[in-house]
Amino acid sequence: MKVTPHNPTPWMQGFRLNHAVEVSGGERTLYLSGQTASDAEGAPLHPGDLVAQYKVAWANVVDALAAADMTPANLVRLNMYTIDVPAFMEVADQIMPIHAEAGAQIACTLLGVRELYHPDILIEIEGTASA
């Protein structure tokens, strides 16, 4: 599989994201459900701490990838849903390096939503991977 990022303008690269990601030679595609900062029974973790919640949600993404014999390098797209976009942007410098450090070259969308499955959940991440 070959992943080729396309960036007609450089501004998204400041967030370690790409405008588009082209995948060629991939044989498998994995669609990941939204992952949150939840324990094994679905109870929210780290209420009020967006960065801590993101790290747990990301770890859940990595675990789902591993279950499919993939790594973050196989990710090509993430969608991030948050109930507070301004709060996310305030801590983006702590969150966005996580993907690049793990080897992911992703296209990404950040969406503000009114609520997620539980009032204590601040962020949810879903993704697409290819191998």
Side-chain angles (χ1 to χ4, degrees), residues 25-36:
E27 296 178 7
R28 298 185 302 136
T29 302
L30 180 68
Y31 300 95
L32 295 123
S33 291
Q35 303 295 313
T36 62

Side-chain angles (χ1 to χ4, degrees), residues 44-98:
L45 301 170
H46 309 293
D49 188 336
L50 184 60
V51 173
Q53 284 196 8
Y54 194 90
K55 288 179 179 179
V56 172
W58 174 254
N60 291 338
V61 166
V62 173
D63 288 347
L65 289 165
D69 197 27
M70 293 186 188
T71 71
N74 294 101
L75 281 171
V76 294
R77 180 170 181 76
L78 288 180
N79 290 331
M80 301 176 194
Y81 303 89
T82 182
I83 62 165
D84 192 342
V85 172
F88 180 93
M89 295 307 292
E90 287 178 18
V91 296
D93 62 328
Q94 298 172 56
I95 292 172
M96 300 314 293
I98 293 169

Side-chain angles (χ1 to χ4, degrees), residues 9-29:
T9 63
W11 80 270
M12 287 184 74
Q13 291 169 300
F15 291 99
R16 300 182 187 193
L17 301 173
N18 296 293
H19 284 274
V21 176
E22 178 182 351
V23 177
S24 57
E27 296 178 7
R28 298 185 302 136
T29 302

Side-chain angles (χ1 to χ4, degrees), residues 114-131:
R114 199 182 92 187
E115 61 187 338
L116 294 165
Y117 85 93
H118 188 282
D120 289 334
I121 294 294
L122 305 172
I123 187 103
E124 185 166 339
I125 323 166
E126 67 179 10
T128 306
S130 184

